Amino acid sequence: MVAETSNNILTKRVIYDTCIQQSFKLFVGSWNVGGIPPPHNFNLDKFLHTQDSMADIYVLGFQEIVPLNAGNILAAEHSNISIKWNSLIKAALNKRTPTEDAFHKTETGESQRVYPLTTQSSIKPGATDYKCIISKQMVGIYITIWARTEISQYISYPSVSCVGCGILGRLGNKGSVSIRFFLHETSFCFVCSHLASGGKEGDERHRNADAANILSHTLFPPEPLQHLPRKILDHDRVIWLGDLNYRIQLPEKTTRSLVKNKEWNLLLQSDQNSDDYYGSCHKGKVKRMRAPAWCDRIIWFGKGLKQIQYNRVESRLSDHRPVYGRFIAYVEVSTLPGI
């Protein structure tokens, strides 16, 4: 037993001594688009902040990319909508004109991946080329991950796990789509979720139950001959994003008054986990008067992540503002030849 322990320590020491730490810039964004399809040539530059320093990896999560009606919940995935969003993302990251056939699905089903077609002639001089690593849609929840082409070769073991928490406790109108991958020797897990809605007292318990269900039921498939993490919290770096639906536990009138007076600390004290609230609707629906709330959030777990920015974008596409976070992610890079 002593010898076995010593060997384990020696092995870990060898691995440690043959790795160096390298930092990468990570952009994570989340947006509930309210079932509204993006207009053709919709500009995502402000959301992705392409006018600033570009990140190495972009993780973008959307909720309600289709309306959450019975037909969409029970039907197959509306891949044309997710393809349209990916086309717009590609146009913003690579400074190209979006096209309807910009993406080709090479796989379908649980391990759906979406890859951009190469159109080198349309790249502007000096532009950095990004490619889609993996994307997945479950009803209205959609997550897509992009990386600089030069670092995509160091991304391995991408995988998807979906958990439905909606109608009957299992349908995909609520729940999560999680993606994991390794960047060099470090594992990442991104959880894009849409938790239970409702502003009544006690509704937060349903959201807590959804989160617990996601943590317990998210399971990535095993890789032959590889001891890879399968649960969310087993990964080195974890980021959870989405419409978590947690509200401010105060009367609507009180909440609006505190927002008007910018009493952020008082609001935070009643938190469950702009300008005037955007409650107008689209296509003739009745205006919904709901208290402002921090429904859309980005949270993280694990060492090796440093948040350098957290903000929202003033888009009026839906009644939710996009939120984004910028991170420095530190990863272990092997110095062994051929690894």
Side-chain angles (χ1 to χ4, degrees), residues 26-29 59 187-193 215 232-242 244 273 296-311 323-330:
L26 181 64
F27 182 101
V28 180
V59 179
S187 61
F188 287 79
C189 182
F190 299 93
V191 183
C192 179
S193 67
L215 284 170
I232 291 173
L233 297 181
D234 292 338
H235 291 79
D236 299 316
R237 317 280 186 264
V238 178
I239 295 182
W240 193 313
L241 59 143
L244 307 189
N273 186 93
D296 308 282
R297 310 192 186 196
I298 300 170
I299 57 179
W300 69 97
F301 169 83
K303 297 179 180 178
L305 285 172
K306 179 181 179 181
Q307 186 186 70
I308 57 176
Q309 190 179 18
Y310 188 60
N311 214 331
V323 296
Y324 69 92
R326 293 176 182 271
F327 298 84
I328 298 296
Y330 297 93

Side-chain angles (χ1 to χ4, degrees), residues 189-235:
C189 182
F190 299 93
V191 183
C192 179
S193 67
H194 193 182
L195 304 186
S197 60
K200 302 186 300 296
E201 184 175 354
D203 283 340
E204 70 272 16
R205 291 196 293 269
H206 299 297
R207 295 186 267 280
N208 293 341
D210 284 354
N213 194 27
I214 290 167
L215 284 170
S216 61
H217 288 88
T218 297
L219 191 66
F220 295 101
E223 295 283 348
L225 305 178
Q226 300 289 336
H227 299 287
L228 303 181
R230 301 190 64 193
K231 304 290 289 184
I232 291 173
L233 297 181
D234 292 338
H235 291 79

Side-chain angles (χ1 to χ4, degrees), residues 34-37 64-73 78 139-140 283 285:
I36 302 168
E64 296 191 48
I65 64 167
V66 296
L68 299 184
N69 54 44
N72 287 331
I73 293 170
H78 293 254
V139 189
K283 299 182 180 179
K285 293 182 180 178

Side-chain angles (χ1 to χ4, degrees), residues 81-313:
I81 295 295
S82 57
I83 290 174
K84 188 171 184 178
W85 277 108
N86 256 17
S87 178
L88 293 168
I89 294 165
K90 175 186 177 182
L93 293 181
N94 294 319
K95 304 300 181 186
R96 304 174 187 176
T97 302
T99 57
E100 294 298 324
D101 60 347
F103 289 83
H104 172 64
K105 290 192 297 181
T106 58
E107 298 182 20
T108 58
E110 188 66 15
S111 59
Q112 173 190 347
R113 303 183 187 194
V114 185
Y115 293 93
L117 298 178
T118 302
T119 55
Q120 296 294 337
S121 59
S122 62
I123 302 177
K124 291 184 178 180
T128 301
D129 200 10
Y130 290 83
K131 65 182 296 185
C132 185
I133 303 302
I134 185 169
S135 298
K136 178 61 181 174
Q137 177 188 356
M138 180 183 73
V139 189
I141 303 172
Y142 181 58
I143 182 171
T144 179
I145 297 181
W146 295 69
R148 293 183 188 270
T149 301
E150 60 265 31
I151 71 169
S152 62
Q153 61 181 311
Y154 303 111
I155 295 177
S156 59
Y157 305 112
S159 186
V160 170
S161 179
C162 298
V163 175
C165 301
I167 300 172
L168 303 178
R170 58 181 299 177
L171 294 186
N173 57 306
K174 294 293 191 292
S176 67
V177 179
S178 301
I179 287 180
R180 75 98 188 274
F181 60 79
F182 274 73
L183 175 57
H184 288 285
E185 312 302 316
T186 300
S187 61
F188 287 79
C189 182
F190 299 93
V191 183
C192 179
S193 67
H194 193 182
L195 304 186
S197 60
K200 302 186 300 296
E201 184 175 354
D203 283 340
E204 70 272 16
R205 291 196 293 269
H206 299 297
R207 295 186 267 280
N208 293 341
D210 284 354
N213 194 27
I214 290 167
L215 284 170
S216 61
H217 288 88
T218 297
L219 191 66
F220 295 101
E223 295 283 348
L225 305 178
Q226 300 289 336
H227 299 287
L228 303 181
R230 301 190 64 193
K231 304 290 289 184
I232 291 173
L233 297 181
D234 292 338
H235 291 79
D236 299 316
R237 317 280 186 264
V238 178
I239 295 182
W240 193 313
L241 59 143
D243 182 357
L244 307 189
N245 259 316
Y246 285 102
R247 313 298 174 91
I248 299 167
Q249 200 63 47
L250 290 172
E252 179 182 334
K253 186 176 180 180
T254 304
T255 301
R256 291 182 181 275
S257 176
L258 291 173
V259 170
K260 183 178 180 180
N261 295 324
K262 299 183 178 181
E263 298 284 354
W264 311 125
N265 289 333
L266 293 177
L267 288 166
L268 283 170
Q269 290 174 17
S270 298
D271 176 39
Q272 292 178 337
N273 186 93
S274 110
D275 43 19
D276 292 338
Y277 172 69
Y278 176 65
S280 61
C281 62
H282 298 264
K283 299 182 180 179
K285 293 182 180 178
V286 178
K287 183 175 181 178
R288 296 178 293 179
M289 294 302 296
R290 297 182 297 184
W294 290 299
C295 291
D296 308 282
R297 310 192 186 196
I298 300 170
I299 57 179
W300 69 97
F301 169 83
K303 297 179 180 178
L305 285 172
K306 179 181 179 181
Q307 186 186 70
I308 57 176
Q309 190 179 18
Y310 188 60
N311 214 331
R312 74 176 189 181
V313 179

